[in-house]
Structure formats: structure tokens, C-alpha cells
Amino acid sequence: MQLYLQDARKYEYLTAEQERELAVRWRTGQDRRALDKLVGSHLRLVFKLARGYQGYGLPLSDLVAEGNVGLMQAAQKFEPEKGFRFATYASWWIRAAIQEYVLHNWSLVKIGTTAAQKKLFFSLRRLKARMQELESGDLSPEAVSAIATELDVPEAEVVEMNRRLSVDSSLNAPFGEDGDSEWQDQLADDRASHETVIADSEERRQRLDFLKLGLEALNDRERAILVARRLADEPVTLEELSQRFKVSRERVRQLEVRAFEKVQKAVMANARAQQIASSDKSRAWLGA
């Protein structure tokens, strides 16, 4: 791990503009040097996320290796033209790769196969600790009901997962040279960090702002059709809109497609403009 971190520190952190340039070079020209810089600058992110899963008793080097696989998958799928930072996108792939590894290797019995089981595996112990149910064996009916409600999973699966996890090891088993630490102290908190919450909130705000600007590029009829068909909680049928605007259903469909394409182009243009503006501000700050 020391060698890994030494190699990781050789790569500089990237600005948004540098990141986008490297991603474009890789996507359009399969530039291996660009890929190396893009991936290398995020090796420290892999290490940071992998450490959050040490509480499952698996070697950190293996967790990091799986995280690197997720990082490479993210690099293959990343679309820089959408205007979002690579670290935000890659974090999901890295966590997914590490979690899959943990699920398949932590126990002799395969723990998680469905989405509900995976959610239980990575959340059950944290919720038990919060409810002070760590030493109670089978969970109380009240705890089972509360956990099932919070995670939106069947109560039967809560009971089954709790029994399967309890067989493997005790969360209060001591470890470390002095034996003064417990495994439960090392459990990964699957809640988003404060920084992630802020970043996600900012990203959602930007998307809404771009969408509003995109809608301004439409005329009244196009805007009404697009909102009714794609942005409403209950989409309006083509038949209803054809009667409202006195045109055929096919014409409504054509207007919807054209309006969507206009908004899409406007959103991408605004995203690029914001990236350029941010880059100019960074240059001005560095120059100062």
C-alpha cells in the first residue's frame, strides 16, 4: 500500500478543464497517455473509499484492487460533455466494485444476491448499533419492523440476514495489537459524507438551472408538450394533447421529439459555457 500511495502521489490533481481534455482524448482517439493521467489522478480516491470497507476483515490491498477495476470502468463510461466532474461519477463505480467483492468474499455463504439483500448487508449492522441491538441475538419484532421500514425491504429478509451475519463473527470481537478496538468501530457508514451531499445538491441545482434555460429555447406549444409528456408526474397522452392543440397525434409526437432535441442542445451549450467561464476564473485567480 505504501508503494501504491507513492505512485498515486506522482499524479497531480486535475482541474475541470484538464480532466475534460483528457477524457475527450481518450474517448475520441484512444490516447493511452490521457487515460493514464485521468485514472492516475484518482488513485487516491480509490484508496480513500476502500479504507471505508476495512471493517469486513478483507485485505485493504484487495479492496483497493477491486476499486481500481471500478475506476477503469468509470473511465470507459465517462461522458465529459455532460459537464460533471469525473470524481463524482467514478465514486459510484468504485464503491460498486468494492461492494461486490465484499459480498462475494466476506463469508463462506454468499450473502447478497438481490438489491434488497445488498442493502441489508451494508446497512443492517449500523442500524442495529443505533438501536442498541448488537448483543441481542435475534432482533426484537419492533427492531425488525423499524429496519424493514427504513430500508424498504421485507421483514423476513431482515431476520434472515441478521441470522446469517451473526453466524460469521461478533461485531464486538477485539482486534489490533492491544485488543482495544472492536470490529464495529471499523464498519463503513454507507451514508453520504457532508461533502458528497453538498456536491450532489450543487449538481442537482445546476441541472435544474440548465433545464430552465433549455426550456426558454422553446415556443409556448413546444414547452407545453414537453412538460406534459416528459416532466409531469403523470404524463399526458398523445390523444389528449392532439385534442388540446387541434393536431394529429403523430404531429404531437414530432413536436415532442423536436422540443427534446432543442432542450438537449441548449443544456449542453450552457454546460460548456459554464465550464469555459470556470476555467477563465481559475486562470485569472492563478494569474493574480
Side-chain angles (χ1 to χ4, degrees):
M1 284 295 91
Q2 291 299 322
L3 292 174
Y4 176 88
L5 289 174
Q6 287 177 12
D7 287 338
R9 294 189 185 102
K10 294 177 183 178
Y11 295 89
E12 298 180 354
Y13 289 109
L14 301 175
T15 65
E17 183 181 5
Q18 291 172 329
E19 186 177 280
R20 184 177 185 280
E21 179 187 352
L22 293 172
V24 169
R25 282 168 53 189
W26 166 241
R27 286 197 66 191
T28 59
Q30 296 295 292
D31 187 332
R32 302 290 300 187
R33 294 181 63 184
L35 176 65
D36 177 68
K37 289 183 180 179
L38 180 64
V39 171
S41 64
H42 290 82
L43 294 177
R44 281 164 285 197
L45 174 63
V46 173
F47 182 80
K48 176 183 176 181
L49 295 177
R51 288 187 62 186
Y53 294 88
Q54 283 184 277
Y56 297 102
L58 296 170
L60 177 59
S61 58
D62 289 352
L63 297 174
V64 170
E66 293 300 319
N68 286 337
V69 173
L71 178 61
M72 290 299 298
Q73 291 173 327
Q76 295 287 353
K77 301 284 186 180
F78 184 55
E79 298 178 6
E81 63 273 9
K82 291 190 175 180
F84 306 113
R85 293 303 300 265
F86 180 63
T88 302
Y89 180 78
S91 293
W92 293 99
W93 286 91
I94 295 168
R95 286 194 183 96
I98 294 174
Q99 288 179 1
E100 283 296 320
Y101 175 77
V102 172
L103 288 171
H104 287 86
N105 293 275
W106 186 74
S107 173
L108 293 176
V109 180
K110 191 174 182 181
I111 292 293
T113 56
T114 67
Q117 288 173 333
K118 292 178 181 179
K119 186 188 299 184
L120 274 169
F121 180 79
F122 287 106
S123 303
L124 181 58
R125 294 183 291 182
R126 171 175 55 83
L127 295 179
K128 286 177 64 177
R130 192 177 73 190
M131 298 177 184
Q132 297 183 345
E133 292 271 351
L134 287 175
E135 294 296 331
S136 61
D138 279 347
L139 295 167
S140 65
E142 295 77 12
V144 171
S145 178
I147 292 172
T149 300
E150 180 162 342
L151 298 180
D152 192 23
V153 298
E155 292 186 7
E157 293 204 9
V158 174
V159 173
E160 179 186 1
M161 182 62 71
N162 179 61
R163 289 174 177 172
R164 293 169 73 178
L165 291 176
S166 297
V167 169
D168 283 285
S169 61
S170 169
L171 292 175
N172 294 104
F175 77 100
E177 295 181 0
D178 300 324
D180 56 353
S181 298
E182 297 180 353
W183 283 114
Q184 65 177 358
D185 299 328
Q186 300 297 312
L187 295 181
D189 187 350
D190 61 353
R191 293 173 297 179
S193 66
H194 183 62
E195 293 79 5
T196 301
V197 170
I198 293 176
D200 289 346
S201 176
E202 177 64 17
E203 188 172 305
R204 285 194 297 271
R205 186 192 64 77
Q206 286 185 352
R207 287 182 178 178
L208 287 174
D209 289 345
F210 290 155
L211 178 59
K212 290 176 182 177
L213 292 172
L215 290 174
E216 292 177 1
L218 307 178
N219 59 43
D220 292 342
R221 184 171 66 171
E222 290 173 335
R223 189 182 303 110
I225 290 174
L226 186 66
V227 170
R229 290 287 293 164
R230 304 208 181 193
L231 300 179
D233 292 334
E234 296 183 4
V236 180
T237 65
L238 292 174
E239 180 63 30
E240 291 178 86
L241 291 173
S242 69
Q243 293 177 8
R244 184 191 305 179
F245 293 105
K246 310 299 182 184
V247 294
S248 67
R249 288 184 297 177
E250 176 59 22
R251 180 56 179 160
V252 173
R253 189 192 67 78
Q254 292 173 354
L255 289 170
E256 177 192 348
V257 172
R258 186 173 70 181
F260 180 77
E261 291 175 347
K262 283 185 178 180
V263 170
Q264 194 174 39
K265 290 179 180 178
V267 167
M268 293 177 65
N270 285 316
R272 284 195 295 268
Q274 180 167 319
Q275 282 185 331
I276 294 172
S278 298
S279 177
D280 290 343
K281 288 181 180 179
S282 296
R283 289 197 188 96
W285 182 83
L286 290 172

